[in-house]
Amino acid sequence: MASLARIRTAVPRRMHLARAIQTAADTTQLHQDASHSEPFSVKLHEDSFRGYRTDTPSLDVEVTKENLLKWYKEMTVIRRMEQAADALYKQKLIRGFCHLAIGQEAISVGINSATTFEDKIISSYRTHPFVLLRGGTIKSLIGELLGRVCGVSKGKGGSMHVFTEAFQGGHGIVGAQVPLGAGLAFAQKYLGKKAATFAMYGDGASNQGQVFESYNMAKLWNLPCIFVCENNKYGMGTSAERSSSNTEYYTRGDKIPGIQVNGMDIIAVHQASKFAKEWVTSDKGPLLVEFVTYRYAGHSMSDPGTTYRTREEIQRMRSTQDPIRGLQRYISEWGLASEDDLKAIDKEAKAEVDTAVEEAKQSPFPDESELWTDIYKAGYEPPFMRGRDREEIHYY
């Protein structure tokens, strides 16, 4: 192990001569006076996007006061919800795995803002926000984390296996959801639906063989699949530079075009997601989208997150590139809402989450008989199912 460490330290850092992607959350500028009732134009920072084998989305974006305030409330509620999950885990009310998306809220909210429930979104296990955004409730998400019957997966899936009718799930096996996403896109094309599939994965899954196999099939069949890499710089406790020879993940699709996006600015995420959906639904084939982002917490609740990066790094990202603070600054400086208005939204979000947590706590745990349900679709069960040993048999 000592010799391996010496090899690692001997590897020089790669020099990137191209301009780096902008990851500040508050560099978008007004194009015209902000309106309280009509859409108005803003201009993203010139380094908000980078392209591979394609042009990048327009830097000029049309937004509305209504949407900006809606995104602010959604991101605020999501963060409060994730902070509540953090507290419940530390109280030992949540057991097992729990992966929080604090710091990455702009990605889920931005993608959702550019899609409808006809589009498919499938991801790995840092997916709590999508439950709330795609038809679930705070209570159903927290209930699932607590293992209660009110949970979105009836208390049997836990943090990594949450689904709604409009969200095709969190999946616990690293990278395994990507070929499933390609399959969803195949179904959309087969059925003639003008809709997109967002197949999401992290930088830690980007070197999986099944990811590249999915790229190949999607390009071969020209599927409406958007492969989304959430690059939060660390795969568990390993930095991207230590795990990947090519850390420009948007360029790794061979013949599939790609774009790299500032994942900390909600307006940039919205614009890129809109661009991506228009691309794949125009029969141009698949697209790779890399959102450059950052997670404040560890990989999971069992990871303190400070053994492979410094506390100073985390604090710097929190203080200078936070997606919620960035949007808050836009809203305030553009005169769309007062500081008191935004404080009221935050207070309302906290109260909403606190109420949902208490309601979820009151929900019972599933009955033991539920162990045998939902293995197969209702009505398609086999005659019997074997349990932990050959003597333990359940007859349907």
Side-chain angles (χ1 to χ4, degrees), residues 15 43 75 85 93 146 178 206 217 220 248 338-339 369:
M15 297 294 291
K43 191 177 186 67
M75 287 201 291
L93 293 175
L146 294 170
V178 179
S206 64
M217 288 187 288
L220 186 65
E248 295 183 331
S338 68
E339 185 178 341
S369 63

Side-chain angles (χ1 to χ4, degrees), residues 28-83:
T28 298
Q29 301 294 321
L30 267 179
H31 236 352
Q32 62 187 83
D33 290 340
S35 170
H36 285 252
S37 58
E38 300 292 332
F40 58 93
S41 295
V42 298
K43 191 177 186 67
L44 293 163
H45 189 280
E46 61 180 340
D47 294 325
S48 295
F49 308 119
R50 294 171 70 194
Y52 168 74
R53 300 176 71 104
T54 181
D55 293 331
T56 55
S58 172
L59 297 175
D60 297 317
V61 187
E62 190 174 82
V63 296
T64 65
K65 172 185 175 180
E66 180 184 7
N67 279 342
L68 293 173
L69 288 173
K70 178 174 181 283
W71 299 343
Y72 180 78
K73 180 175 181 180
E74 288 173 343
M75 287 201 291
T76 301
V77 170
I78 287 167
R79 182 163 297 183
R80 287 288 185 182
M81 183 176 71
E82 294 286 65
Q83 289 171 339

Side-chain angles (χ1 to χ4, degrees), residues 31 67 75 85 118 136 138 153 175 200 218 238-239 246 292 321 340 344:
H31 236 352
N67 279 342
M75 287 201 291
E118 290 298 309
I138 303 170
S153 297
M200 304 178 67
T238 305
S239 67
N246 177 8
V292 182
Q321 301 184 33
D340 287 342

